Amino acid sequence: DKREVSKLGRWKFDAYAFERRHGNTLLHTGFTIGSELLTEAGISNFKVPLRGFLQDVQKQYHRIPYHNSIHAADVLSSCTYLLREDRRVSRAPLGNVSRLATFVAAVIHDVGHFGRTNRFHVASHDPVAVLYNDQSPLENMHCTIGFSILRQPHSSLFKIPSSTEDECSGLPDADFTLLRR
């Protein structure tokens, strides 16, 4: 529904209502907003890897009450509102790499979340806490999952293409490093 899509990036967007009506909310919102930001950044041929990235991330979100893919879509819409306001009112608006980093962060910020806190994982000696030496285990896990997905050939939005014209145009290495930080 075009009215619902027009609410993306506005406070009135209701991700849970969108999910009930259409399903795959993160895929829909991510594709719409991601396409806008990637186009602004001058990245071309991104539709296939963007869809692959969003599908894989959505699959990695667990079906739990809060830290789920619908919540990620809601955060993405809210971040988009802030990005648009930044561009509208700021004397020095964020550049394209920072805007893309915001997009990626919103999409992956809770990917793989189990519905428990860092404190729980650390106290129970959970493998995720042990893997990240009890240092922000969930946040490290979210980043690891998200950027691992971005490294897959079918979802590599930011790589520099080899030579074929149909590949996503990507980002220079320095920009990708900045995006990851």
Side-chain angles (χ1 to χ4, degrees):
D1 180 317
K2 289 183 181 185
R3 286 179 306 198
E4 287 177 290
V5 172
S6 72
K7 292 179 184 174
L8 279 174
R10 295 195 168 97
W11 287 126
K12 294 182 179 191
F13 178 69
D14 184 343
Y16 285 87
F18 190 97
E19 179 70 20
R20 284 190 299 276
R21 284 193 280 285
H22 306 286
N24 295 311
T25 300
L26 182 58
L27 180 61
H28 292 298
T29 59
F31 197 82
T32 301
I33 294 166
S35 294
E36 176 184 318
L37 294 171
L38 290 160
T39 299
E40 283 177 10
I43 295 175
S44 58
N45 299 321
F46 56 77
K47 288 183 179 180
V48 170
L50 177 58
R51 183 169 304 281
F53 169 64
L54 293 166
Q55 285 174 330
D56 283 4
V57 169
Q58 187 168 277
K59 286 178 197 170
Q60 292 294 320
Y61 270 97
H62 298 290
R63 293 178 186 258
I64 56 177
Y66 184 68
H67 299 284
N68 55 44
S69 64
I70 305 164
H71 164 67
D74 190 43
V75 169
L76 175 59
S77 183
S78 297
C79 285
T80 301
Y81 170 81
L82 296 173
L83 288 173
R84 289 176 180 160
E85 287 298 296
D86 172 65
R87 181 154 282 163
R88 189 176 69 79
V89 301
S90 180
R91 290 184 183 175
L94 294 171
N96 289 329
V97 174
S98 295
R99 293 169 65 78
L100 288 171
T102 302
F103 167 75
V104 171
V107 170
I108 71 171
H109 83 277
D110 274 336
V111 67
H113 205 293
F114 307 107
R116 305 270 189 204
T117 65
N118 278 328
R119 181 180 283 173
F120 172 86
H121 289 285
V122 170
S124 66
H125 307 288
D126 183 87
V128 170
V130 172
L131 177 65
Y132 297 111
N133 201 29
D134 298 338
Q135 301 299 308
S136 305
L138 290 172
E139 290 75 14
N140 280 299
M141 179 191 69
H142 304 319
C143 288
T144 298
I145 293 170
F147 284 105
S148 294
I149 291 170
L150 280 171
R151 291 183 54 154
Q152 300 303 310
H154 69 282
S155 57
S156 183
L157 280 173
F158 303 116
K159 70 176 181 177
I160 298 296
S162 52
S163 64
T164 62
E165 290 181 20
D166 61 339
E167 281 190 327
C168 182
S169 61
L171 287 175
D173 284 343
D175 286 347
F176 182 65
T177 300
L178 180 63
L179 181 138
R180 287 188 54 227
R181 293 177 188 210

